[in-house]
Amino acid sequence: MPRVLLAALLTLAVAAGCADRPAQADGKLNVVTAFYPLQFLSERIGGDTVAVTNLTKPGAEPHDVELNPRQVADVADAGLAVYLSGFQPAVDAAIAQEAKDRSFDVASVVELLPYTEKTEESEGGDRDPHVWLDPVRFSTIAGALGEKMAAADPAHAAAYRSAAAELQTQLQDLNKEYAKSLASCQRHELVTSHSAFNYLATRYGLTQVGITGISPEAEPSPQRLAAVAEQARATGSTTIFFETLVSPKVAETIAREVGARTAVLDPLEGLTDTTSDYFTVMRANLAALTEALGCTS
């Protein structure tokens, strides 16, 4: 979003009086989250004592989200704004102006991996944002978020801490499931349409081969397509993964080239199925991985 336009939206939101509205409404802590995984954590930890607003609409691709004046007003209303710095520039700017003293940058409590697959199609900075795909790091974020909620709403501090601890246990259990299921596999190369899975690959001893870079909508060059196809053949890859929020065309192109099939591997940037949540999608991902990589547990 152009800086002039973003500044105008921020100014409009303030002029509308959003900065004067309470950070709590109907006794609930107003929490604004930048995208789905942070919404999931906030709702699970906050329960009925929080009102969560997600700035990325369901089914939308979060990398380049734009904020309208109402969403900027939501940020100004927040008792706590939860985001990942460097991932969504419009969100970073709105929080810096409207909720800097009431924000939680999840990148401040976990180490972000460097983005190791830079190509000419890559966009973004030097840090890979997809930290939520590592249950261990995500558990660390959950614990820290529980503390941030407790500080923002001391009356419910004990409930936040208890819910965060329970969620951490569930995430640790998920990590154990992944570690056990992926411990003995015929293949270890993970060929994906979008380079979103480095955290998962690093945690469980896999190697990510991304067709495009950090931005899932980037168009790979013919040279990149040829290089990925060559690597897929060399490693005996039987599956090329694509994701739910973007076209499978690129993955299908590679799959045809090497005689492989395609399957969904969801980076959990946004949900289109309201009956699913973080855990159901992560377990569906695990099932897809164990089949594609020929794993035996």
Side-chain angles (χ1 to χ4, degrees):
M1 177 182 292
R3 291 181 181 273
V4 173
L5 178 56
L6 178 58
L9 288 176
L10 294 172
T11 301
L12 178 60
V14 173
C18 62
D20 296 327
R21 288 196 290 271
Q24 292 199 11
D26 298 325
K28 294 186 177 184
L29 175 68
N30 285 334
V31 179
V32 168
T33 60
F35 54 95
Y36 172 71
L38 304 184
Q39 175 191 1
F40 170 78
L41 288 185
S42 299
E43 290 176 341
R44 289 292 294 267
I45 295 171
D48 293 336
T49 61
V50 300
V52 178
T53 300
N54 189 19
L55 296 175
T56 303
K57 296 179 180 179
E61 211 296 308
H63 283 251
D64 299 312
V65 68
E66 305 275 350
L67 300 187
N68 59 41
R70 177 63 258 175
Q71 290 173 305
V72 176
D74 288 336
V75 173
D77 285 351
L80 183 64
V82 187
Y83 73 115
L84 195 162
S85 61
F87 183 37
Q88 298 167 296
V91 174
D92 290 358
I95 289 176
Q97 180 160 329
E98 301 295 342
K100 186 175 182 180
D101 61 341
R102 293 168 283 110
S103 65
F104 172 40
D105 176 9
V106 302
S108 67
V109 297
V110 289
E111 179 184 4
L112 295 186
L113 296 175
Y115 179 45
T116 57
E117 289 192 38
K118 281 191 175 295
T119 71
E120 62 195 70
E121 298 85 19
S122 301
E123 296 179 7
D126 294 327
R127 301 185 306 169
D128 185 339
H130 303 90
V131 64
W132 57 90
L133 293 172
D134 175 358
V136 177
R137 283 181 169 86
F138 205 42
S139 175
T140 298
I141 293 171
L145 179 56
E147 291 300 320
K148 291 291 185 180
M149 286 185 170
D153 182 16
H156 299 104
Y160 296 139
R161 291 187 174 113
S162 176
E166 180 180 354
L167 182 55
Q168 286 184 294
T169 297
Q170 294 170 344
L171 289 166
Q172 290 157 9
D173 289 343
L174 179 66
N175 171 55
K176 292 174 184 176
E177 290 178 36
Y178 263 78
K180 180 180 179 181
S181 297
L182 299 176
S184 180
C185 301
Q186 297 175 19
R187 294 170 292 279
H188 298 87
E189 291 74 26
L190 184 60
V191 184
T192 64
S193 61
H194 171 203
S195 296
F197 298 93
N198 192 32
Y199 287 95
L200 187 153
T202 299
R203 176 64 61 188
Y204 303 110
L206 306 176
T207 299
Q208 174 183 244
V209 180
I211 301 172
T212 64
I214 276 289
S215 174
E217 295 179 344
E219 288 290 334
S221 66
Q223 293 81 2
R224 180 61 182 169
L225 289 172
V228 172
E230 181 179 354
Q231 191 166 357
R233 287 194 196 93
T235 58
S237 296
T238 63
T239 305
I240 311 299
F241 289 106
F242 66 95
E243 63 184 78
T244 52
L245 297 182
V246 297
S247 169
K249 181 176 65 174
V250 172
E252 289 170 348
T253 298
I254 296 290
R256 284 194 301 269
E257 179 73 16
V258 303
R261 70 185 186 94
T262 59
V264 170
L265 197 64
D266 195 329
L268 267 163
E269 294 178 345
L271 288 186
T272 55
D273 180 3
T274 58
T275 65
S276 298
D277 66 9
Y278 175 86
F279 285 112
T280 58
V281 173
M282 284 293 284
R283 289 190 169 99
N285 281 347
L286 179 57
L289 286 170
T290 55
E291 181 179 356
L293 301 178
C295 304
T296 57
S297 56

